[in-house]
């Protein structure tokens, strides 16, 4: 079971770029890396997914080094509405679908 | 298009009582999941259903049973509730668990359960 480690919390200011790093030292060959966002009293929402190198979509970028033992979620120009908990999920099968404790991101005005 | 819906939103039980949490999705997804989330923690998988008619245990299945009633509905039953089952329960669905590592899961709003 690929275990993930993330910072418990991060603070940022509006308009800044935020990078959240996740460590997953025992990632397996079949594992993909997925990031979810969760607001209070809501279910998680998919942000981005990748296997290696860099992936970018309309809301975020995901950087994965060659050894895949970590990944970094990058949120450009955050706003107050980006305040949420961000989860890094590493899984290659349904039995591995366990989310870590996540990172509480607080965006300050 | 409601996505994933869950009922009830909130429930209080006494120890030993039973109840069923309901989940339905309207996205024609094959795979469905039940998670629990305890305060300050991430989600842990209780059970999942790869397709209609099949169910499998996740990380924390003890004390729970599930039924995949049809393609749309996946219910979670607590036969004899215990205080340790106080949690927020989330249902999710995805297109096809066979490619789960590439799957995007869509989550419901959650059911908050308090067992006294």
């Amino acid at each position: 079971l690929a275990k993930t480690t993330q910072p418990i919390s991060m603070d940022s200011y509006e308009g800044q770029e935020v990078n959240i790093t996740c460590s997953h030292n025992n990632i397996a060959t079949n594992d993909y890396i997925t990031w979810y966002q969760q607001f209070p009293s809501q279910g998680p929402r998919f942000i981005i997914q990748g296997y290696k190198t860099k992936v970018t979509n309309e809301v975020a970028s995901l950087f994965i080094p060659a050894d895949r033992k970590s990944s970094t979620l990058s949120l450009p120009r955050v706003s107050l509405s980006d305040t949420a908990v961000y989860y890094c999920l590493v899984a290659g099968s349904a039995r591995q679908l366990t989310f870590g404790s996540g990172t509480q991101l607080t965006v300050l005005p | 298009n409601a996505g994933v819906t869950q009922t009830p939103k909130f429930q209080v039980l006494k120890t030993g009582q039973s109840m069923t949490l309901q989940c339905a999705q309207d996205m024609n997804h094959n795979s469905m999941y039940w998670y629990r989330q305890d305060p300050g923690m991430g989600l842990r998988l209780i059970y999942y259903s790869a397709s209609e008619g099949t169910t499998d245990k996740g990380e924390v299945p003890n004390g729970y049973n599930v039924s995949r009633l049809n393609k749309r509905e996946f219910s979670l039953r607590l036969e004899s509730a215990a205080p340790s089952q106080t949690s927020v329960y989330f249902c999710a669905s995805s297109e096809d668990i066979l490619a789960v590592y590439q799957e995007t899961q869509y989550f419901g709003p959650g059911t908050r359960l308090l067992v006294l």
Side-chain angles (χ1 to χ4, degrees):
Chain A
L1 208 66
K3 185 176 179 179
T4 60
T5 303
Q6 303 175 232
I8 294 174
S9 64
M10 296 180 66
D11 290 342
S12 181
Y13 290 96
E14 279 191 291
Q16 288 188 330
E17 178 184 73
V18 171
N19 295 309
I20 306 174
T21 297
C22 179
S23 296
H24 29 82
N25 291 321
N26 57 341
I27 188 169
T29 302
N30 291 338
D31 291 344
Y32 273 65
I33 300 158
T34 310
W35 285 80
Y36 285 84
Q37 174 192 57
Q38 186 179 28
F39 297 112
S41 301
Q42 294 186 24
R45 185 177 69 173
F46 173 88
I47 301 174
I48 196 166
Q49 183 183 71
Y51 184 82
K52 61 181 179 180
T53 64
K54 177 184 175 181
V55 179
T56 298
N57 62 21
E58 62 276 8
V59 298
S61 295
L62 178 59
F63 299 91
I64 305 168
D67 66 6
R68 304 203 325 124
K69 293 183 182 298
S70 67
S71 58
T72 299
L73 173 72
S74 180
L75 304 172
R77 300 180 297 282
V78 294
S79 64
L80 296 176
S81 62
D82 292 317
T83 293
V85 178
Y86 292 81
Y87 293 99
C88 162
L89 175 66
V90 176
S93 68
R95 296 183 191 278
Q96 298 173 311
L97 291 173
T98 296
F99 290 65
S101 299
T103 298
Q104 170 66 58
L105 172 66
T106 302
V107 180
L108 305 169
Chain B
N1 200 347
V4 179
T5 57
Q6 294 183 236
T7 56
K9 292 184 179 179
F10 181 71
Q11 184 72 46
V12 179
L13 291 178
K14 295 181 179 179
T15 297
Q17 286 185 319
S18 63
M19 80 162 294
T20 300
L21 283 64
Q22 305 287 352
C23 174
Q25 52 91 9
D26 61 4
M27 295 175 282
N28 201 35
H29 285 167
N30 286 312
S31 305
M32 299 185 73
Y33 314 77
W34 275 106
Y35 291 88
R36 62 177 288 174
Q37 184 173 36
D38 299 321
M41 297 182 66
L43 284 76
R44 292 183 293 170
L45 185 66
I46 304 172
Y47 272 92
Y48 65 96
S49 171
S51 60
E52 185 179 353
T54 69
T55 61
D56 278 291
K57 296 178 180 179
E59 181 188 4
V60 289
N62 292 342
Y64 305 95
N65 287 302
V66 292
S67 295
R68 183 74 182 266
L69 304 171
N70 47 55
K71 191 171 185 178
R72 289 188 64 249
E73 299 172 292
F74 189 37
S75 63
L76 178 71
R77 182 161 178 85
L78 287 70
E79 292 291 350
S80 179
S84 61
Q85 294 178 305
T86 292
S87 190
V88 180
Y89 291 85
F90 288 100
C91 178
S93 70
S94 66
E95 286 193 22
D96 189 347
I97 205 171
L98 294 179
V100 69
Y101 47 85
Q102 293 179 316
E103 287 287 277
T104 297
Q105 293 184 70
Y106 296 84
F107 286 83
T111 293
R112 282 154 183 76
L113 177 65
L114 175 62
V115 183
L116 302 174

